[in-house]
């Protein structure tokens, strides 16, 4: 794969905390990674509700982390607080599972293929949760599907909000774009919306000329809704993203 992306500028729009591995892989493939976040992860103004819930962690049966950001922010906020014995841990994908394992968690429940709420909900272990108490660590806002479906299955669900997402100021994105892009990687529908907002007037027309690499079909559908027809579903992992980039530009040679 060495050199397969030679001469290609690849825009990476992930939050800074998540961009390093993909940046390295793009560079190893010969590409020029251009890292300009379309989402900024920020601290909450009021952490009292999080800490109040954290005091009751031992009362839950299952803790779910919706992303790598949720893992990092929640565990950092918990500090040295010991994890309750018997509190099972789950997450939506392999990236956040790896982060949990790096921080000492074992037997983490996570889907092996797709990295989303639907894939986690499809696991047999989450089919029979009636009477269970579940805490979901997540950012402010976001999708409600996971909590709603678990509640419909009879679980008692609470949310531990541990960060918020902001739209970055757009000058850096517009400056980077002025140099031209050969490919764009976007990790979520929210990131895509932010990217369009940051680029400003005529953004959709400019993006439509560049292949857009996304992790899930759901993001591709959102791209198509915004008239961006070159959305390529790569998969949730960094290696899958780079493999899709290599395959696309290799075929174009």
């Amino acid at each position: 794969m060495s050199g397969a992306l030679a001469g290609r500028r690849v825009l990476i729009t992930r939050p800074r905390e998540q961009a390093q591995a993909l940046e390295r892989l793009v560079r190893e493939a010969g590409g020029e990674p251009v890292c300009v976040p379309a989402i900024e992860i920020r601290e909450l103004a009021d952490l009292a509700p999080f800490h109040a819930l954290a005091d009751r962690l031992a009362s839950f049966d299952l803790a779910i982390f919706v992303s790598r950001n949720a893992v990092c922010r929640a565990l950092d906020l918990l500090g040295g607080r010991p994890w309750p014995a018997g509190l099972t841990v789950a997450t939506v994908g392999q990236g956040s599972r790896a982060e949990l394992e790096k921080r000492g968690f074992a037997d983490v429940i996570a889907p092996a293929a797709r990295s989303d709420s639907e894939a986690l909900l499809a696991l047999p272990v989450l089919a029979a949760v009636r009477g269970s108490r579940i805490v979901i660590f997540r950012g402010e806002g976001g999708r409600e599907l996971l909590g709603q479906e678990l509640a419909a299955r009879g679980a008692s669900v609470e949310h531990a909000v541990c960060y918020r997402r902001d739209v970055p100021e757009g000058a850096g994105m517009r400056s980077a774009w002025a140099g031209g892009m050969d490919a764009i990687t976007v990790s979520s529908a929210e990131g895509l919306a932010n990217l369009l907002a940051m680029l400003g007037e005529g953004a959709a027309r400019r993006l439509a000329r560049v292949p857009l690499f996304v992790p899930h079909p759901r993001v591709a559908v959102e791209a198509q809704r915004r008239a961006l027809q070159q959305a390529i579903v790569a998969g949730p992992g960094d290696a899958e993203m780079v493999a899709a980039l290599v395959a696309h530009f290799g075929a174009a040679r």
Side-chain angles (χ1 to χ4, degrees), residues 57-93:
L57 263 189
S59 69
F60 292 95
D61 304 298
L62 175 66
I64 300 176
F65 296 85
V66 302
S67 65
R68 189 190 293 258
N69 281 323
V71 173
C72 295
R73 295 290 172 161
L75 296 182
D76 287 349
L77 287 172
L78 290 172
R81 187 190 300 249
W83 191 258
L87 178 52
T88 303
V89 175
T91 190
V92 298

Side-chain angles (χ1 to χ4, degrees), residues 6 19 24 31 37 72 74 78 86 94 98 101 127 150 170 178 183 187 195 198 216 225 242:
R24 174 178 55 79
C72 295
L78 290 172
Q94 294 302 308
E101 290 174 343
L150 291 170
S187 57
L195 172 61
M198 293 166 72
H216 306 298
R225 188 184 72 80
V242 174

Side-chain angles (χ1 to χ4, degrees), residues 77-161:
L77 287 172
L78 290 172
R81 187 190 300 249
W83 191 258
L87 178 52
T88 303
V89 175
T91 190
V92 298
Q94 294 302 308
S96 43
R97 178 180 186 169
E99 185 66 35
L100 283 162
E101 290 174 343
K102 186 173 78 173
R103 290 171 176 257
F105 289 85
D107 302 319
V108 177
I109 298 168
R114 299 195 335 266
S115 296
D116 55 24
S117 297
E118 289 87 346
L120 180 61
L121 287 165
L123 296 180
V125 70
L126 289 184
V129 293
R130 182 169 298 279
S132 297
R133 291 179 54 80
I134 300 175
V135 57
I136 299 176
F137 291 95
R138 68 173 193 173
E140 196 172 61
R143 298 180 77 203
E144 300 292 341
L145 173 69
L146 186 58
Q148 289 176 346
E149 179 58 28
L150 291 170
R153 295 177 186 183
S156 173
V157 179
E158 294 187 54
H159 293 95
V161 178

